[in-house]
Amino acid sequence: MPKQKKVSYFGMKSEPAAYSWDELVKEKETYWDGVRNYQARNVMKDMKIGDLVLFYHSMTEKAFVGVAEVTKEWYQDPTTEDTKWVAVDIIPIKELKKKVSLRTIKEEPKLSEMKLVKQSRLSVFHIDEKDFKLILKMAETKLD
């Protein structure tokens, strides 16, 4: 019997004016491109098909708003000829019933080590399974 792949968890930040959760839902799938930070790029290279992503609105809203799933592993970012940069494909899975703000996250001691808090400039980051589940609980959202 084949082994089930262990799901990994990530966060992706986007300014709603540039690309919002609602746009992802409307388009049903997108490629995540334009990342020009080596650490964030390396995180994207860790993403595998079936991994889950908490979608975060940065700048104005500063809150997790939805859950997406990786549907295609990293490949050359189509927006540049520079082979150092990559993209991944994602689809929306579920909008969070209740948005989870950065302020709420910072007020929760169990989330004090989260990359969103510790390395706030990263646009793509790993999330521990326990942190992912806690954020879903805070959002009053269950994944079926």
Side-chain angles (χ1 to χ4, degrees):
M1 180 176 232
K3 270 181 122 173
Q4 281 280 62
K5 176 190 128 18
K6 184 180 179 336
V7 173
S8 293
Y9 304 92
F10 300 89
M12 289 180 151
K13 292 165 54 174
S14 180
E15 295 178 28
Y19 192 81
S20 70
W21 172 258
D22 290 340
E23 288 175 89
L24 175 59
V25 170
K26 184 179 176 185
E27 292 176 1
K28 296 184 173 64
E29 183 172 27
T30 195
Y31 58 90
W32 203 263
D33 65 339
V35 173
R36 298 296 181 267
N37 172 287
Y38 287 103
Q39 191 173 359
R41 185 249 355 236
N42 291 342
V43 171
M44 290 173 68
K45 285 186 168 188
D46 290 340
M47 294 177 166
K48 304 294 181 211
I49 293 171
D51 285 344
L52 296 177
V53 175
L54 281 170
F55 194 104
Y56 181 89
H57 279 170
S58 61
M59 301 302 285
T60 53
E61 200 169 0
K62 294 184 180 178
F64 285 114
V65 296
V67 179
E69 181 179 334
V70 177
T71 57
K72 185 175 181 182
E73 295 175 20
W74 72 272
Y75 55 94
Q76 165 70 43
D77 183 333
T79 66
T80 181
E81 292 181 21
D82 190 335
T83 59
K84 292 188 297 252
W85 306 115
V86 301
V88 297
D89 291 357
I90 62 170
I91 58 170
I93 297 297
K94 192 166 201 174
E95 184 169 350
L96 297 182
K97 187 174 179 182
K98 183 177 160 188
K99 295 173 184 175
V100 181
S101 71
L102 178 59
R103 182 181 191 156
T104 303
I105 290 166
K106 286 182 173 181
E107 290 171 352
E108 172 52 65
K110 292 176 183 172
L111 296 174
S112 65
E113 295 301 311
M114 232 185 131
K115 292 278 192 246
L116 180 66
V117 174
K118 290 290 200 184
Q119 293 180 284
S120 61
R121 304 275 303 158
L122 277 182
S123 61
V124 183
F125 49 94
H126 291 99
I127 297 178
D128 291 337
E129 182 177 10
K130 64 179 178 36
D131 294 347
F132 185 89
K133 288 180 176 178
L134 179 55
I135 290 168
L136 286 184
K137 184 177 179 182
M138 293 165 76
E140 301 173 3
T141 303
K142 292 184 180 191
L143 299 181
D144 303 322

